[in-house]
Amino acid sequence: VCLLASDAYRPWRLAPLYEGLFPDEHYNPDTSPARVHQVFHRLRAWFTKSGSPLTISEERGFYSLSAEKGAVLV
């Protein structure tokens, strides 16, 4: 969440997200996207289970944190 929320005005591409999530590993275009999507899947499930209004949005290969209704990140 912190990585996606670190810049509310700049959505993230997949490779920099991978680097932030797995800083000691090299990006592999064949396998790394699936690992990031698995993290997103678990995070979305956690958002749903906890009743959070947050969601991960994707638009043309860019990912960002958004809220379905008012939310404050502190």
Side-chain angles (χ1 to χ4, degrees):
V1 174
C2 293
L3 184 61
L4 285 169
S6 66
D7 189 342
Y9 300 102
R10 182 183 61 111
W12 290 82
R13 302 248 340 135
L14 209 55
L17 279 170
Y18 182 86
E19 184 179 322
L21 291 168
F22 307 102
D24 297 328
E25 299 182 25
H26 294 286
Y27 183 82
N28 179 328
D30 294 326
T31 59
S32 298
R35 290 187 70 194
V36 174
H37 288 288
Q38 182 61 33
V39 170
F40 288 168
H41 177 75
R42 291 193 312 262
L43 187 55
R44 285 180 177 123
W46 183 80
F47 286 157
T48 300
K49 183 178 179 180
S50 67
S52 173
L54 298 176
T55 188
I56 300 169
S57 301
E58 185 272 331
E59 186 174 330
R60 295 183 296 204
F62 289 90
Y63 298 85
S64 61
L65 190 64
S66 59
E68 296 172 355
K69 55 186 175 186
V72 177
L73 297 175
V74 290

